[in-house]
Amino acid sequence: MPPGAASPVSAPAPPRPVSARRPAGATAVALAAVAAAWAGGCTTPAAERDAVTAAALDFARHAESAAQAESAAAACRLLAPATREALARDPGPSCEAGLTDAALPAPGRVRTTDVYGHQGRVVLEHDTYFATWFPDGWRIRAAGCVPRPERPYDCRVTGD
């Protein structure tokens, strides 16, 4: 949701994900809290859901071809800054190399998109992405995420 837009429920503080190679503890707890808030039935205008879905599909298109340097670079530009920086650090030496190393699954078709304030979740057939609103648009904060029964999502790619 663009900054300044009214929301019937205040948005949760942005989660602080951990790096792509570290345990998902803090990220998982924060993502679980956001997912629980979505379950509360908050409605979002279709335009916001469409914008989050478009960002996710754009990222997916580039990430699927991440072995090609140009596609990996394009995918990295679509990541949230902290996620991009985390991939450059761990495993490094660059976001592009880290994204390739993450070996994200082929995402498949979009099943559902949820938006809650400045946070979004796109559930795909074989993956789940979490997105965050930035002044220049929606960016992917976490990818390669799989739900765990009664536990937070476990994500291959996340930021600090």
Side-chain angles (χ1 to χ4, degrees), residues 7-13 37 42 116-118:
S7 174
V9 179
S10 63
C42 185
Y116 182 77
H118 293 135

Side-chain angles (χ1 to χ4, degrees), residues 112-135:
T112 187
T113 300
D114 303 303
V115 180
Y116 182 77
H118 293 135
Q119 306 297 319
R121 177 184 67 163
V122 180
V123 178
L124 304 145
E125 287 176 312
H126 309 292
D127 203 346
T128 298
Y129 298 160
F130 287 89
T132 299
W133 170 259
F134 288 88

Side-chain angles (χ1 to χ4, degrees), residues 59-131:
F59 173 77
R61 182 171 50 91
H62 292 294
E64 278 189 291
S65 304
Q68 300 169 352
E70 188 175 303
S71 288
C76 283
R77 286 191 296 272
L78 298 170
L79 291 171
T83 305
R84 195 171 40 244
E85 292 166 10
L87 282 171
R89 271 193 325 271
D90 183 17
S94 65
C95 174
E96 293 84 354
L99 188 60
T100 300
D101 190 58
L104 295 174
R109 293 179 182 221
V110 173
R111 288 188 174 168
T112 187
T113 300
D114 303 303
V115 180
Y116 182 77
H118 293 135
Q119 306 297 319
R121 177 184 67 163
V122 180
V123 178
L124 304 145
E125 287 176 312
H126 309 292
D127 203 346
T128 298
Y129 298 160
F130 287 89

Side-chain angles (χ1 to χ4, degrees), residues 18-39:
V18 295
S19 112
R21 291 284 194 157
R22 296 182 195 150
T27 299
V29 170
L31 294 177
V34 172
W38 284 316

Side-chain angles (χ1 to χ4, degrees), residues 129-151:
Y129 298 160
F130 287 89
T132 299
W133 170 259
F134 288 88
D136 61 344
W138 289 97
R139 297 284 177 240
I140 303 303
R141 188 183 76 246
C145 301
V146 293
R148 299 179 296 171
E150 298 185 36
R151 297 177 63 201

